[in-house]
Amino acid sequence: MTAAASTVREAVQSRLSVRAFLPDPVPPDIIRQVLEDAARAPSGGNLQPWHVDVLAGGTLARFKALMQARLAPDAEPEAPAYDVYPPHLPSPWRERRFGVGEDMYALLGIPREDKPARRRWFANNFAFFGAPLALMCSVDRRMGPPQWSDLGMFLQTVMLLLRERGLDSCAQECWAFYPQTVGRFLGWPDERMIFCGMAIGRRDPEHPVNRLRSERAPLDEWLRFHD
Ligand SMILES: Cc1cc2nc3c(=O)[nH]c(=O)nc-3n(C[C@H](O)[C@H](O)[C@H](O)COP(=O)(O)O)c2cc1C
């Protein structure tokens, strides 16, 4: 097990997107407590615009089986819920996005030319990278960018609190590509839309993908002090 974080800084520093999990189950009461604590996250006007569905056990297994069918080559694609990135992502964001992808595939030993192997790896997203528990975070369609930023604050709080429990996570926007499958399975009303999923469990310390320490831009690329 990876050491649990005992300070906020340790939680921030030890959080990373884990993309290979051990099968050990995550006790539901821990997740309930983490979510209750995370709901102390601030939100503009205290709207608390997040909705969360937790999938584990037999429900998670049924959902993963459904997704296997949805990923079949002859399955109809769905209209994505939103653009995960702006079209024609400009510099420097484009380089950052491709940089982290290349670093990940280098650790996995999958070269750029091997598109089928890269696609197969990406499909692990839809099995939550083997995590024993998953969340789906959704929001009312009438909510705008300020409320979406509230979702981000809530979800980061969840991920940090998980570190305090020795647990790991990976936020997953890839679920925006299957909004109908997710919404129907979870019985969401029409006005609800997906933001992202989250795989949760204990990291597999042996898996090379979990050695990825994503880069960060130097401070002076995005920070200005005015004094
Ligand atoms: C909202 C959100 C959605 C994400 N979606 C995915 C995803 O679908 N699949 C994936 O492998 N990683 C996903 N990530 C992980 C990012 O790629 C990752 O946070 C980034 O590369 C920085 O790496 P780190 O989380 O390890 O620090 C997502 C992260 C966030 C915050």
Side-chain angles (χ1 to χ4, degrees):
M1 171 184 132
T2 323
S6 54
T7 66
V8 177
R9 185 160 194 265
E10 264 176 35
V12 170
Q13 291 290 344
S14 66
R15 186 215 58 80
L16 76 167
S17 292
V18 163
R19 297 184 178 90
F21 289 86
L22 299 174
D24 322 7
V26 176
D29 51 322
I30 290 187
I31 293 304
R32 181 176 280 277
Q33 188 64 59
V34 161
L35 291 169
E36 193 175 358
D37 290 344
R40 295 306 310 172
S43 57
N46 203 20
L47 260 59
Q48 307 160 66
W50 42 81
H51 291 267
V52 176
D53 287 81
V54 179
L55 291 89
T59 305
L60 181 61
R62 277 196 302 285
F63 182 64
K64 280 166 52 170
L66 173 66
M67 276 313 298
Q68 279 309 304
R70 295 294 296 112
L71 292 171
D74 55 345
E76 277 289 301
E78 296 181 21
Y82 57 88
D83 285 337
V84 169
Y85 304 104
H88 315 298
L89 194 64
S91 190
W93 303 290
R94 188 170 188 281
E95 291 78 6
R96 291 180 190 163
R97 179 186 171 199
F98 284 98
V100 73
E102 289 308 317
D103 290 349
M104 183 182 77
Y105 286 116
L107 283 171
L108 291 165
I110 307 178
R112 192 184 307 223
E113 314 75 70
D114 196 349
K115 298 284 184 242
R118 287 193 170 198
R119 269 196 296 276
R120 276 196 302 280
W121 172 263
F122 186 78
N124 287 332
N125 264 290
F126 299 109
F128 297 103
F129 300 114
L133 187 137
L135 304 183
M136 285 290 177
C137 178
S138 59
V139 64
D140 190 288
R141 291 180 196 282
R142 289 165 289 191
M143 299 296 140
Q147 290 75 45
W148 281 61
S149 93
D150 295 338
L151 300 185
M153 277 184 268
F154 167 74
L155 291 172
Q156 168 71 337
T157 309
V158 170
M159 293 191 278
L160 297 183
L161 287 165
L162 288 169
R163 287 303 307 124
E164 194 191 38
R165 306 289 188 143
L167 291 167
D168 296 294
S169 60
C170 184
Q172 296 182 287
E173 273 157 348
C174 61
W175 293 103
F177 295 117
Y178 290 95
Q180 282 135 28
T181 303
V182 175
R184 265 189 223 130
F185 184 84
L186 296 173
W188 288 348
D190 289 346
E191 66 271 17
R192 190 82 68 72
M193 78 179 279
I194 181 141
F195 171 35
C196 70
M198 188 184 289
I200 295 175
R202 296 193 189 286
R203 75 184 73 175
D204 177 350
E206 307 298 327
H207 200 292
V209 77
N210 290 337
R211 288 205 293 269
L212 179 61
R213 184 72 178 160
S214 56
E215 290 185 9
R216 291 297 184 269
L219 247 68
D220 56 12
E221 278 191 29
W222 53 268
L223 174 70
R224 287 171 70 199
F225 269 107
H226 305 264
D227 57 11

